Amino acid sequence: VQLVESGGGLVQAGGSMRLSCATSGFPFDERAIGWYRRIPGKGREGVACINIVDGKTYISKAVKGRFTISSDNAKRMVYLQMDNLKLEDTDVYYCTSLGPYFCQFYQYGEASGSDRSGSGALVTVSS
């Protein structure tokens, strides 16, 4: 099982960035793929999740209206489009494989049910 993030970097506040997650080694169409970040003192914060089984997406309230998640199932890729970035979005973003049942909880900022995650992509938002 492998997940590899790409696309991080430095961006000005108000700008946009797209993260990509390349996956391999597991039945992609039987899983959900989520993006989470780490909040100091609080642990993981679920940002967005897509259930590959039925295509449903879940976006946390913290980023709703600014972030979108999508997938290219033929390529086994998942994308996190981040618009109108804020300073507080600065973090390392991880993509993760999880059971489809847990995907719904990402809308509440919960990131649970993961079985494997990538090494992360650093997103730095500057003023």
Side-chain angles (χ1 to χ4, degrees):
V1 177
Q2 190 172 21
L3 301 99
V4 180
E5 303 93 341
S6 61
L10 177 65
V11 62
Q12 282 192 324
S16 297
M17 181 175 287
R18 189 177 82 156
L19 301 181
S20 299
C21 177
T23 72
S24 62
F26 62 94
F28 185 76
D29 55 359
E30 296 179 7
R31 305 293 289 171
I33 304 295
W35 289 92
Y36 68 86
R37 59 193 183 188
R38 296 187 184 275
I39 304 298
K42 294 186 177 181
R44 295 182 178 186
E45 178 188 42
V47 173
C49 185
I50 182 166
N51 185 341
I52 302 301
V53 178
D54 60 14
K56 289 184 178 179
T57 62
Y58 302 88
I59 308 294
S60 75
K61 292 181 180 179
V63 303
K64 195 165 189 176
R66 301 188 296 119
F67 290 14
T68 57
I69 187 170
S70 62
S71 69
D72 183 332
N73 294 357
K75 295 181 179 180
R76 301 177 56 102
M77 295 289 296
V78 174
Y79 307 99
L80 182 68
Q81 177 66 40
M82 305 181 291
D83 299 319
N84 190 21
L85 282 159
K86 302 178 179 181
L87 296 179
E88 54 263 39
D89 294 320
T90 294
D91 212 322
V92 178
Y93 288 75
Y94 300 85
C95 74
T96 186
S97 167
L98 62 152
Y101 169 77
F102 296 98
C103 196
Q104 61 184 307
F105 300 111
Y106 274 65
Q107 63 186 315
Y108 306 117
E110 297 178 18
S112 57
S114 295
D115 55 15
R116 193 66 61 91
S117 300
S119 58
L122 175 62
V123 174
T124 303
V125 184
S126 66
S127 58

